[in-house]
Amino acid sequence: MTDHRSASDPYAVGRPPEDELGRVPDWLRQPAPEVPPGRADRLRIALGGHSGKLLGGVLVLVLLAFFGLVGGLGYQGFQRWRQPAAEHPTVSLPVGEQASSSASPPPAAGPFDGTPAAAFPEGAAGIALPRAKRTGAFSEKQVADTLAKVRTALVTARLDRTFFTAKSPERLVRQFAPDARADLRDDFPTGEAGTYATRLAPGARLTADQPRVKGRISYRATKDSQGIRLLEVTTNFVWAYAFPTASTEPGDGVVVVHDTVVWSVAHPDDVDRSSAGLWIDKADSYASNIDCAAFDKGLLKLGKPSFGGPADPDPDAVFDPDKTVDLPDTC
């Protein structure tokens, strides 16, 4: 599911406005009326797909083998064959025999087990910065400072539990250029902030497990239509959050958010002091396994299991930062 957002031009007046953000795509946010089968269910369905003719043929062969056995052994031999085998006094069964158990397999040890997120780094450890170097008009120090600002904003927006439930978004908003803050504040009541920030719905809570994070960061020097020099930083991350659930199916308690955000900092010589600092130029995202009504308000809450979708039936695809965020909506 996708929810697109394009911020207004932060640096100049008169530039044609960016495209409005689209709605969050439906197919990832809204599960089908029936919960999709899990891996084990899909295996059972595959094995149950053989034709009646094949099963009938197998039954005929079994009956022929049975009566052939009776004819060859005679009645006494058949009786002996029917008698239960004597217990073996040893601990191990004889070679060729197998023991079976009807006990259920142990539950997963953690909420991410059985999903690709189990191999992701925990929390901020998953946000690695590229090496800073002089780029265009920006010195190595300016690049390093900008990357550090973006990382700090990412940690607050996607990993800070205090921010997730705070009434005010100022914990994040104050990290941006003064001229950018008013538009950011407006994003929270409309729900558009969900494309770049995590806020929990009332009553929703996370487990004690750290979110799992996978993605990458890149940067480049560019200019806007008015010739203002910009250092543009693009982040592309998958964030996996664990919510309490009674289900033992892998991933049923995991909400996945995949976002791509374009951040920028103008060259200090090209703008007023009030516009110097961090901006968000564009943000796109989708979320999976969510409560749709909450997500429409930019809030996260666990919904029904809904990994995968009609455009990509692979249930692991939502964990892949290399997959597109431009997906159909299911809410």
Side-chain angles (χ1 to χ4, degrees):
M1 60 194 52
T2 56
D3 188 358
H4 303 277
R5 176 184 185 282
S6 298
S8 59
D9 190 330
Y11 306 112
V13 177
R15 185 196 298 181
E18 297 282 352
D19 293 338
E20 291 294 327
L21 296 177
R23 297 266 318 154
V24 176
D26 282 354
W27 70 267
L28 267 179
R29 293 193 316 174
Q30 178 67 35
E34 296 181 0
V35 177
R39 290 176 175 81
D41 293 325
R42 287 196 294 273
L43 177 61
R44 287 194 291 272
I45 291 170
L47 293 177
H50 299 294
S51 69
K53 291 182 179 180
L54 176 59
L55 294 177
V58 172
L59 179 60
V60 169
L61 290 174
V62 171
L63 291 174
L64 288 174
F66 173 79
F67 288 111
L69 177 63
V70 172
L73 295 177
Y75 180 76
Q76 293 297 326
F78 176 58
Q79 285 290 86
R80 289 195 300 272
W81 179 69
R82 286 180 54 194
Q83 293 174 357
E87 291 185 359
H88 300 282
T90 56
V91 174
S92 300
L93 293 175
V95 176
E97 296 188 37
Q98 297 181 356
S100 62
S101 173
S102 60
S104 300
F112 301 108
D113 286 5
T115 75
F120 293 0
E122 295 184 359
I127 308 175
L129 294 178
R131 183 174 67 88
K133 61 181 181 179
R134 182 177 183 85
T135 304
F138 296 86
S139 67
E140 179 180 330
K141 183 179 185 307
Q142 288 174 318
V143 172
D145 289 345
T146 298
L147 291 174
K149 289 178 181 178
V150 169
R151 189 178 191 275
T152 300
L154 283 172
V155 170
T156 301
R158 292 301 192 187
L159 298 174
D160 186 342
R161 296 186 183 224
T162 300
F163 170 75
F164 292 170
T165 56
K167 292 182 178 180
S168 169
E170 290 304 307
R171 195 177 181 91
L172 174 65
V173 170
R174 67 190 180 206
Q175 299 180 34
F176 289 81
D179 287 347
R181 296 173 186 174
D183 286 341
L184 290 172
R185 292 186 186 104
D186 291 342
D187 286 345
F188 287 88
T190 64
E192 292 184 5
T195 57
Y196 58 83
T198 297
R199 304 279 276 175
L200 294 182
R205 62 185 180 88
L206 299 174
T207 68
D209 303 89
Q210 284 230 54
R212 300 300 178 91
V213 183
K214 182 179 181 181
R216 59 184 176 272
I217 299 175
S218 61
Y219 64 89
R220 65 170 185 159
T222 186
K223 292 181 179 180
D224 71 1
S225 61
Q226 303 301 314
I228 296 174
R229 295 169 293 178
L230 306 175
L231 183 63
E232 186 179 270
V233 180
T234 300
T235 61
N236 174 21
F237 281 94
V238 170
W239 315 87
Y241 301 95
F243 287 77
T245 178
S247 174
T248 58
E249 286 296 315
D252 276 4
V254 177
V255 166
V256 179
V257 178
H258 180 190
D259 64 22
T260 58
V261 184
V262 179
W263 318 68
S264 65
V265 169
H267 196 281
D269 294 340
D270 294 356
V271 295
D272 295 335
R273 288 176 61 89
S274 60
S275 290
L278 196 61
W279 291 74
I280 289 181
D281 291 341
K282 184 180 180 182
D284 300 319
S285 73
Y286 68 69
S288 178
N289 224 17
I290 54 170
D291 180 285
C292 292
F295 196 73
D296 284 341
K297 300 176 183 178
L299 305 174
L300 280 193
K301 183 179 180 181
L302 183 66
K304 294 182 180 179
S306 58
F307 296 130
D312 193 342
D314 180 1
D316 292 346
V318 296
F319 294 89
D320 188 352
D322 291 328
K323 296 288 185 179
T324 179
V325 296
D326 188 14
L327 299 171
D329 195 345
T330 59
C331 275

